Every structure is written in C-alpha cells, then in structure tokens.
Amino acid sequence: MRLAIEAAEAAAGNGEIPVGAVIARDGKVLAAAGNSIESEGDPTMHAEIAAIRKAAKALGTKWLTGCTLYVTVEPCTMCAGAAVLARLDRIVAGTVSDKSGACGSVLDILESERLNHRVGYSVGLLEKECAALLSGFFGSLRKNGGPVQERY
C-alpha cells in the first residue's frame, strides 16, 4: 500500500485525483500506477485500469490469477468490473468511497452472483493516510475556488 500511496502522490503532483494502485503476486510487484485521466485525456485511465494493463503486459496474459490489487480508495464500478474480468484474486483498498465505491459501499460488483468470477476484498490498510490524500486534494480545490468533481 505504501507504493500505491506514492503513486497517488505522484498523480496529485500531475494534477490528477490522488489515487494509486499496485498489483503484486507472490510478493513481487508487477505494476504500479496513479490516475492519469487528465494527462491522458481519457476517462478510463484510473489507477486500477493502468495497473491492470501493466500487470497483464508484464505477465504476458490477460488473466491475473494469483494477483492482489492494492489501491488507495475503493474501486468504482468500471475498475471493480475490470478486476473481475482480469480474474484478480483480491483487492485491498485503503479507504472506502461512499460516492462511487463498487466493492460494497455503494454497489458490490465483486460479489455479484451473475458474474463468472469472485474477487476477495478488504478495506482499511493505511486507511488514515489514504483518506487524507483525497480529503486534502478536494479540500485544497475548495479552498482555492477550483472545480470540485468528486469522482471517488
């Protein structure tokens, strides 16, 4: 999770919402990424999607079985769905997203009986640090009069 926090901080330094993700298997980091929505001009470039793409490329396969996704905030519907499609074993989130969380807060994509794969989920690893990234980012936008589009 510390690497995911570093990726989130780097994303914030690039004007992105500070979300970071890391994918690991057997104690080895396969991929790390931060949000790059603004810099890529692509609404799908969430940290989780970028990390899934990198990990799949590193492994040379679309299936990420045996892998864990560490992410600073609970994934949205798109990212939770991508985790199911990639067949990740587990997601560990730093903090919940009561606005768009799709791992139990608002929706629960990971446990849908209609999908062909289940992804384990836990939340709360370095929770205070992960939550502070987001609250600090959006608080700064509010303070400076910038547009606040809380997507997470």
Side-chain angles (χ1 to χ4, degrees), residues 77 80-85 108-119:
T77 304
V84 171
L85 293 174
D108 194 350
I109 299 297
L110 303 182
E111 289 297 320
S112 174
E113 293 180 14
R114 302 188 106 185
L115 300 177
N116 67 343
H117 180 72
R118 305 287 174 282
V119 178

Side-chain angles (χ1 to χ4, degrees), residues 10-80:
N14 292 328
E16 304 282 350
I17 295 173
V19 177
V22 169
I23 295 179
R25 182 163 76 181
D26 299 326
K28 181 183 174 193
V29 173
L30 300 172
N35 272 355
S36 57
I37 297 163
E38 301 301 326
S39 62
E40 296 286 332
D42 181 344
T44 69
M45 287 310 299
H46 291 199
E48 301 95 321
I49 300 297
I52 287 169
R53 289 177 180 172
K54 288 179 180 181
K57 187 172 185 174
L59 292 173
T61 179
K62 62 184 175 184
W63 306 128
L64 300 181
T65 54
C67 294
T68 299
L69 167 67
Y70 296 89
V71 62
T72 55
V73 65
E74 178 182 4
C76 68
T77 304
M78 175 182 67
C79 295

